[in-house]
């Protein structure tokens, strides 16, 4: 889905004080794009993602999804958060199919789809495990699958890999690119990690703070699969770093 953000601003009022979280955000995200929102802590990345998700309302401006105003959460937009958000008392399969009974498909169809997705990330033999029996990487795979089985058009991901060790982070990055290509979702992925943004995104939205704003949108032409050692990769990385620090 095409997502268009127009003159969007957001302030929070806490203890009588106003925090200008986002100021005059304008951004267009095309269908099937892989976009990273990149910037330092406090620049409004999570707030922007929550606004796109319909979890929060802006003060001014608007967000359109295929020309329709976003006013509330929708099954068309799936979330993956940084913290492991699985239910500890449910198995992997039950976590993934939780809430699906409300949809149109039969229970059997839902379970079949869930198993296909679990298999695609190597979790086919883990469906009866509980979250405490899983590694961090496995938990985030389950969280991704849980949002995918709802068949959203857009995935909104908030620093989903930042708690993982570097090997697992790199593995999950490769997997999400593979999933993105195969399922043709629009992905909006929040990160504060330049390397992660350059590895993943076709469009990197550089943000700055006080108040949160967009500094630059960098359209990356880097071919895939991407190699962190390539000259092109390193050149883009240093360009983005400069942009962040300026
Ligand atoms: N619910 C809230 N109440 C008050 N202030 C908030 C709230 N959410 C975010 N903020 C403030 O808005 C700014 C942007 O926060 P956030 O979107 O979490 O940034 P980021 O995800 O880039 O670290 C920060 O100054 C933060 O303190
Ligand atoms: Mg955040």
């Amino acid at each position: 889905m095409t997502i268009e953000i127009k003159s969007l601003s957001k302030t929070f009022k806490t203890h009588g004080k106003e925090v200008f979280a986002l100021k005059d955000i304008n951004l267009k995200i095309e269908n099937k794009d892989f976009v990273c929102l990149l910037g330092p802590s406090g620049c409004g990345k999570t707030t922007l993602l929550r606004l796109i998700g319909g979890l929060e309302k802006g003060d001014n401006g608007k967000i359109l999804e295929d020309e329709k105003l976003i006013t509330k959460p929708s099954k068309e937009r799936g979330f993956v958060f940084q913290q492991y958000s699985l239910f500890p008392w449910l198995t992997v399969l039950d976590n993934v199919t939780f809430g699906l009974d409300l949809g149109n498909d039969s229970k059997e169809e839902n379970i079949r789809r869930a198993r296909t997705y679990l298999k695609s990330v190597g979790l086919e033999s883990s469906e009866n495990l509980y979250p405490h029996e899983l590694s961090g990487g496995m938990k985030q795979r389950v969280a991704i699958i849980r949002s995918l089985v709802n068949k959203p058009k857009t995935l909104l991901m908030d620093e989903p890999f930042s708690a993982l060790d570097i090997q697992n982070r790199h593995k999950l990055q490769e997997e999400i690119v593979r999933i993105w290509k195969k399922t043709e979702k629009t992905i909006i992925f929040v990160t504060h990690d330049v390397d992660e943004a350059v590895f993943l995104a076709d469009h990197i939205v550089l943000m700055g703070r006080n108040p949160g704003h967009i500094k630059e949108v960098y359209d990356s032409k880097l071919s895939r699969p991407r190699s962190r050692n390539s000259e092109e990769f390193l050149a883009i990385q240093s360009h983005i770093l400069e942009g962040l620090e300026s």
Side-chain angles (χ1 to χ4, degrees), residues 40-47 82 158-159 190:
S41 166
C43 72
K45 305 182 293 298
T46 294
T47 303
Q82 175 180 5
D158 195 357
E159 310 209 19
V190 164

Side-chain angles (χ1 to χ4, degrees), residues 29-43:
I29 295 169
E30 302 287 350
N31 192 28
K32 302 178 190 176
D33 271 356
F34 200 133
V35 173
C36 279
L37 307 180
L38 174 70
S41 166
C43 72

Side-chain angles (χ1 to χ4, degrees), residues 178-193:
R178 188 164 50 77
I179 288 169
W180 166 69
K181 277 194 176 157
K182 193 159 169 225
T183 61
E184 306 198 304
K185 307 286 176 202
T186 306
I187 296 188
I188 307 176
F189 188 110
V190 164
T191 181
H192 61 259
D193 181 8

Side-chain angles (χ1 to χ4, degrees), residues 2-186:
T2 303
I3 292 174
E4 215 171 341
I5 303 170
K6 294 182 174 176
S7 311
L8 183 72
S9 297
K10 174 76 182 170
T11 46
F12 291 105
K13 289 176 193 74
T14 40
H15 315 294
K17 232 181 73 187
E18 283 212 339
V19 180
F20 225 135
L22 292 171
K23 191 178 178 209
D24 196 26
I25 301 291
N26 291 285
L27 182 66
K28 188 167 183 188
I29 295 169
E30 302 287 350
N31 192 28
K32 302 178 190 176
D33 271 356
F34 200 133
V35 173
C36 279
L37 307 180
L38 174 70
S41 166
C43 72
K45 305 182 293 298
T46 294
T47 303
L48 184 52
L49 203 69
R50 289 173 57 81
L51 282 157
I52 296 170
L55 301 175
E56 201 97 58
K57 281 197 179 22
D59 307 331
N60 291 305
K62 54 188 173 183
I63 308 180
L64 303 171
E65 181 182 56
D66 283 350
E67 321 247 299
K68 283 207 291 285
L69 209 57
I70 292 178
T71 55
K72 57 179 194 309
S74 148
K75 275 181 66 173
E76 303 287 4
R77 284 168 254 124
F79 266 97
V80 181
F81 300 100
Q82 175 180 5
Q83 292 87 5
Y84 310 130
S85 47
L86 306 178
F87 298 117
W89 59 88
L90 293 181
T91 64
V92 165
L93 186 64
D94 289 344
N95 260 289
V96 167
T97 56
F98 183 86
L100 278 180
D101 302 340
L102 309 167
N104 293 325
D105 297 334
S106 71
K107 193 166 182 191
E108 288 71 31
E109 167 60 21
N110 283 336
I111 289 178
R112 195 197 56 76
R113 194 165 69 248
R115 287 199 166 120
T116 306
Y117 275 119
L118 285 172
K119 187 160 185 230
S120 76
V121 292
L123 286 176
E124 65 271 31
S125 55
S126 307
E127 66 171 58
N128 293 317
L129 298 181
Y130 286 87
H132 76 269
E133 299 174 291
L134 306 176
S135 69
M138 289 162 89
K139 283 184 211 179
Q140 284 310 63
R141 286 185 180 91
V142 176
I144 291 167
I145 298 311
R146 185 174 59 181
S147 65
L148 283 176
V149 291
N150 276 305
K151 300 190 274 190
K153 298 257 171 47
T154 307
L155 267 190
L156 305 172
M157 309 183 75
D158 195 357
E159 310 209 19
F161 307 149
S162 59
L164 304 177
D165 62 66
I166 192 152
Q167 285 92 346
N168 268 301
R169 200 181 317 148
H170 287 177
K171 244 196 228 158
L172 271 278
Q173 287 167 357
E174 282 167 21
E175 283 178 25
I176 197 66
V177 169
R178 188 164 50 77
I179 288 169
W180 166 69
K181 277 194 176 157
K182 193 159 169 225
T183 61
E184 306 198 304
K185 307 286 176 202
T186 306

Side-chain angles (χ1 to χ4, degrees), residues 194 206 215-216 235-246:
V194 176
L206 270 77
K215 289 178 147 180
E216 180 190 339
I236 294 173
Q237 199 173 28
S238 69
H239 171 82
I240 300 289
L241 257 178
E242 253 172 56
L244 275 182
E245 282 163 4
S246 71

